[in-house]
Amino acid sequence: MDINHISSIIILVINMLLAAAVVFLERKDATSTWAWLLVLTFIPILGFILYLLLGQNLTRYRLFQWKERAKLNIDQMVIDQIHLLQEKDFPFRKPDTLEYKDFIYMHLIQNGALFTEDNKVDIFVDGHQKFDKLLKDIHNAKDHIHIQYYIYRSDGLGKQIRDALIKKAKEGIYVRVLYDALGSRTLRKRFFKELTEAGGKVEVFFPSKLSPINLRLNYRNHRKLVIIDGQIGYTGGFNVGDEYLGLDKKFGYWRDTHLRIQGTAVATLQARFIMDWNEASRYHDITFVPAHFPEPEKTGHVGMQIVTSGPDAEIEHIKNGYIKMISGAKKSILIQTPYFIPDASMLDAVRIACLSGIDVRIMIPNKPDHMFVYWATTSYVGELIKVGAKIFVYDNGFLHTKMIVVDNKIATIGSANFDVRSSRLNFEINAFIYDADIAQQLTDAFEKDLQLSAELTEEHYKQRSLWIRFKESISRLLSPIL
């Protein structure tokens, strides 16, 4: 027996042991397990290296602890709201919200998502509008500015926001910036040197501890958050970069959706930022400061819950919210997402809605920013066309918004895409909104986008080439780990 034969046997045995570890130790769901087994089978040894980088399980770790959370009294308020809902004695300000009490209860019981009804919400569907307002709010800040983005670029917009933060830091305003190591991988720490010299603080989420190897590469903080003076909060789909202003020739106009929130919900955004910051920070941990949680300016009446999810939790909170919304639809479902790669439960929920006569409309972009993800998306929407879903392809640039509106009554906007990655691998945040006026505004935006879109009919879908069908098949096979 020659050395090559012996080496092959050793590699085979090692690969079988590694595969067994995936199946029996990690205990992933079946689809994800099979996808990784295919990778391990066809790419021996190297496949396991990829698994270490992309497939490790974070649910064994307890992240985002903040001992002083109790001082906010949020946990007690959640308990009180659960009790009132169980006793059917919850004092809803708007009678229509009573229809969704089971939905609110689910988010309370599984995610501790406080329900608030005193919020004012402004919707931005254009990057210029969003960032113009954000810069004005930064300019008017009186105490602190907390900023968190998945992608922060060192281009024109990135410099404009950084320079505004430097100015406020020099005025004595507390400034904290948190960005994701992978999403902002082209950003260098020296970019924020003047800000830190002015007293601002900057942290990186899940940076590599063994550069260039990052064993937490696959788990990214995809949240987008800004909190100013504890009174104003931003969340949604926009990151920081010139492409979000439509200045990238590859993507053209960038269509996204972002929320500006005032009211008690801002306190829950603030708590989320602090927990993310303290997880990323080694030296600048935030302790409880009353100025971070001032009495809100209750100028609105919008009911909402801020729901978060991540790979450190067993329950896929935002995904459950998506399924609950879709399953409860009586008339219509509008979905906008750049990536439509549902797992079996989400796909079944949409399919059943279609077969039940619900008007299901899904809008996706006409161009990819990730090829495998794009072809997997076309595969899944093609399947839904067969059961009656109407699929629209946005032709006015790149569609990045993550939105669902049901029955023109409730809606969700946030960072979570309609895909497996957002459900299981990314740290995400979404606002679930129980307000017909906001739902109608989002529906109007969807209808406006329809004028810039083309419908993907069953006849047109059937005409795709064999090469495209092959790419769809491979991408769909790998979709659980994309």
Side-chain angles (χ1 to χ4, degrees):
M1 186 177 294
D2 59 29
I3 187 66
N4 291 331
H5 192 191
I6 295 174
S7 299
S8 298
I9 293 175
I10 292 174
I11 291 174
L12 177 62
V13 171
I14 292 175
N15 213 56
M16 289 176 63
L17 292 173
L18 298 180
V22 171
V23 174
F24 297 108
L25 298 181
E26 292 295 332
R27 296 187 179 182
K28 294 177 176 289
D29 67 283
T31 54
S32 180
T33 297
W34 278 111
W36 277 115
L37 287 176
L38 284 172
V39 171
L40 292 171
T41 300
F42 290 103
I43 318 176
I45 306 303
L46 177 59
F48 189 72
I49 294 174
L50 290 173
Y51 178 79
L52 289 178
L53 295 174
L54 305 177
Q56 61 171 315
N57 190 352
L58 283 191
T59 55
R60 68 189 69 171
Y61 305 111
R62 186 179 179 186
L63 305 177
F64 308 113
Q65 299 180 60
W66 187 36
K67 297 178 181 178
E68 294 177 289
R69 177 184 169 94
K71 294 181 181 180
L72 299 181
N73 204 33
I74 290 179
D75 292 341
Q76 185 57 51
M77 287 190 285
V78 167
I79 292 172
D80 292 342
Q81 289 189 348
I82 291 172
H83 178 73
L84 288 170
L85 285 169
Q86 289 174 336
E87 297 298 321
K88 300 180 180 180
D89 196 30
F90 195 97
F92 288 108
R93 296 184 182 180
K94 292 185 292 185
D96 291 349
T97 311
L98 183 64
E99 180 181 352
Y100 300 102
K101 64 180 185 302
D102 57 334
F103 195 95
I104 294 168
Y105 181 85
M106 182 189 75
H107 285 317
L108 281 165
I109 203 79
Q110 73 166 5
N111 193 239
L114 187 70
F115 174 67
T116 60
E117 292 183 285
D118 58 2
N119 304 291
K120 180 179 182 294
V121 176
D122 297 308
I123 301 170
F124 299 103
V125 297
D126 175 81
H128 289 278
Q129 295 174 351
K130 183 254 178 169
F131 288 107
D132 285 349
K133 187 63 175 178
L134 176 60
L135 284 165
K136 288 181 181 178
D137 286 334
I138 289 174
H139 174 75
N140 293 325
K142 300 295 189 293
D143 183 80
H144 64 272
I145 302 167
H146 292 160
I147 288 184
Q148 175 179 350
Y149 283 101
Y150 173 63
I151 296 174
Y152 195 116
R153 301 206 189 280
S154 57
D155 53 17
L157 180 61
K159 291 176 182 177
Q160 189 178 6
I161 293 176
R162 179 203 60 186
D163 292 347
L165 296 175
I166 291 171
K167 181 180 179 181
K168 299 306 291 187
K170 288 180 178 179
E171 293 175 7
I173 305 300
Y174 294 98
V175 176
R176 295 178 177 89
V177 178
L178 175 62
Y179 62 88
D180 185 81
L182 180 66
S184 306
R185 56 190 174 276
T186 61
L187 191 66
R188 299 293 177 261
K189 285 192 175 182
R190 63 177 178 271
F191 177 78
F192 288 113
K193 182 179 178 182
E194 188 175 352
L195 175 60
T196 56
E197 289 176 346
K201 294 181 173 63
V202 180
E203 293 291 351
V204 184
F205 189 87
F206 275 9
S208 174
K209 295 181 179 180
L210 299 170
S211 185
I213 299 173
N214 190 339
L215 294 181
R216 296 181 293 185
L217 174 70
N218 208 29
Y219 301 104
R220 311 317 317 170
N221 198 318
H222 197 238
R223 297 168 183 147
K224 294 91 175 165
L225 286 172
V226 178
I227 301 94
I228 297 174
D229 294 341
Q231 296 283 8
I232 298 170
Y234 285 82
T235 192
F238 281 108
N239 290 291
V240 175
D242 284 349
E243 68 262 41
Y244 303 100
L245 299 177
L247 300 178
D248 188 302
K249 293 181 179 179
K250 175 184 177 182
F251 295 111
Y253 181 74
W254 191 279
R255 171 65 176 89
D256 219 323
T257 307
H258 220 84
L259 305 178
R260 180 181 185 267
I261 302 169
Q262 294 171 279
T264 303
V266 176
T268 61
L269 295 175
Q270 182 82 285
R272 179 72 267 166
F273 174 86
I274 291 174
M275 286 187 284
D276 284 7
W277 175 271
N278 285 350
E279 171 62 27
S281 171
R282 182 178 300 179
Y283 306 109
H284 308 131
D285 286 358
I286 302 176
T287 57
F288 178 80
V289 178
H292 290 161
F293 300 94
E295 184 68 24
E297 298 177 3
K298 300 178 181 180
T299 58
H301 57 270
V302 176
M304 67 167 56
Q305 289 174 289
I306 302 299
V307 178
T308 63
S309 64
D312 60 323
E314 292 286 351
I315 299 175
E316 297 165 5
H317 302 120
I318 294 176
K319 187 195 84 169
N320 286 351
Y322 284 0
I323 293 174
K324 182 72 172 174
M325 287 181 71
I326 293 166
S327 301
K330 301 293 190 298
K331 296 179 180 179
S332 63
I333 300 169
L334 306 180
I335 299 174
Q336 285 181 308
T337 178
Y339 320 123
F340 188 84
I341 309 178
D343 67 4
S345 60
M346 289 196 290
L347 185 62
D348 282 344
V350 178
R351 185 188 290 113
I352 290 170
C354 293
L355 294 172
S356 302
I358 306 298
D359 179 16
V360 177
R361 303 184 185 188
I362 302 172
M363 189 178 294
I364 59 174
N366 73 339
K367 59 183 68 176
D369 62 341
H370 303 291
M371 289 303 302
F372 279 111
V373 173
Y374 179 77
W375 294 118
T377 291
T378 60
S379 171
Y380 282 107
V381 298
E383 182 175 329
L384 290 175
I385 290 174
K386 299 175 184 178
V387 292
K390 296 179 181 178
I391 309 301
F392 299 92
V393 180
Y394 184 74
D395 282 332
N396 189 44
F398 188 69
L399 180 75
H400 190 252
T401 184
K402 305 93 166 55
M403 181 196 80
I404 302 178
V405 180
V406 168
D407 295 339
N408 282 5
K409 292 182 179 181
I410 60 171
T412 182
I413 291 289
S415 66
N417 294 302
F418 208 93
D419 64 0
V420 176
R421 168 163 289 280
S422 291
S423 299
R424 299 173 189 159
L425 300 176
N426 287 343
F427 298 96
E428 306 281 6
I429 186 166
N430 269 52
F432 286 83
I433 305 170
Y434 313 90
D435 186 90
D437 290 338
I438 295 298
Q440 187 60 57
Q441 290 181 49
L442 293 170
T443 297
D444 291 343
F446 186 95
E447 296 287 345
K448 186 176 180 179
D449 291 335
L450 282 180
Q451 300 174 21
L452 302 168
S453 304
E455 185 172 358
L456 180 61
T457 64
E458 185 172 6
E459 180 181 358
H460 184 265
Y461 184 72
K462 287 179 178 178
Q463 292 175 357
R464 69 200 191 282
S465 67
L466 288 176
W467 175 236
I468 290 178
R469 296 181 190 216
F470 173 76
K471 288 190 288 187
E472 285 183 354
S473 297
I474 296 299
S475 299
R476 182 157 179 164
L477 189 64
L478 296 174
S479 63
I481 59 175
L482 288 177

